[in-house]
């Protein structure tokens, strides 16, 4: 017997007990017996609603907690474009300083830094891009 069937059977017993009491006590107590039975029904409904609300609240809290832990894809096209523009604008003075101070090695170090910052930005937005790819084909499962 499931939980709902058990509660239904219990409520059915309560109804039969109320009807039996009405037969024994007469019509004088009918209103009080009906009120008592309806109060028990109300308690059951309130309990069911409370359980449902608690379950939905727990599910909502669990979903909110999962969403808070999940990485957010907040980088829009505009943010990526803006980062690229800023990177290129800063590349000019960095190239001039690196090349002027240390010549070709300084220029290469400046551009290695610029490329490195941009690679990190891309990797942050697309973590799967730099992971090793696994083959979906299973070579050991060939059948004749």
């Amino acid at each position: 017997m499931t939980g709902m069937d058990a509660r239904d059977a219990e409520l059915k017993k309560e109804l039969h007990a109320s009807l039996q009491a009405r037969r024994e006590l007469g019509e004088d107590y009918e209103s009080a017996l009906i009120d008592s039975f309806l109060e028990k029904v109300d308690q059951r409904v309130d309990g069911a609603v409370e359980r449902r609300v608690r379950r939905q609240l727990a599910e909502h809290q669990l979903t909110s907690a999962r969403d808070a832990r999940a990485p957010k894809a907040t980088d829009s096209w505009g943010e990526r474009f803006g980062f690229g523009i800023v990177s290129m604008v800063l590349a000019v003075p960095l190239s001039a300083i690196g090349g002027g101070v240390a010549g070709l090695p300084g220029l290469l170090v400046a551009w290695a830094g610029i490329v490195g910052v941009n690679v990190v930005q891309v990797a942050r937005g697309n973590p799967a891009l730099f992971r090793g790819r696994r083959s979906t084909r299973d070579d050991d499962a060939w059948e004749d």
Side-chain angles (χ1 to χ4, degrees):
M1 193 181 275
T2 65
M4 191 59 143
D5 293 339
R7 287 190 293 262
D8 287 347
E10 191 175 319
L11 198 56
K12 195 180 255 189
K13 283 182 189 177
E14 292 286 342
L15 178 60
H16 287 300
S18 294
L19 291 173
Q20 184 64 32
R22 193 249 180 223
R23 283 186 207 115
E24 292 175 6
L25 298 173
E27 291 182 21
D28 296 338
Y29 293 96
E30 184 174 316
S31 179
L33 291 170
I34 290 172
D35 288 344
S36 174
F37 178 74
L38 290 177
E39 186 176 323
K40 290 175 185 175
V41 170
D42 282 344
Q43 289 172 354
R44 296 264 165 70
V45 169
D46 289 346
V49 168
E50 186 177 334
R51 283 188 299 277
R52 212 172 271 150
V53 167
R54 270 195 247 142
R55 185 182 71 236
Q56 288 177 346
L57 180 62
E59 288 172 357
H60 178 70
Q61 288 173 340
L62 183 62
T63 302
S64 296
R66 283 183 186 155
D67 290 346
R69 285 192 319 241
K72 294 185 170 80
T74 58
D75 289 343
S76 68
W77 181 86
E79 289 173 350
R80 291 190 308 265
F81 183 73
F83 188 84
I85 295 294
V86 168
S87 179
M88 294 308 294
V89 166
L90 291 177
V92 172
L94 289 174
S95 297
I97 293 169
V101 172
L104 183 60
L107 185 63
L108 292 176
V109 168
W111 274 95
I114 293 165
V115 169
V117 167
N118 281 281
V119 167
V120 168
Q121 176 68 11
V122 168
R124 190 180 67 84
N126 303 311
L129 188 64
F130 294 100
R131 288 191 192 130
R133 296 179 187 234
R134 292 185 179 176
S135 175
T136 58
R137 193 179 76 184
D138 190 6
D139 293 332
D140 295 334
W142 283 85
E143 294 182 20
D144 294 324

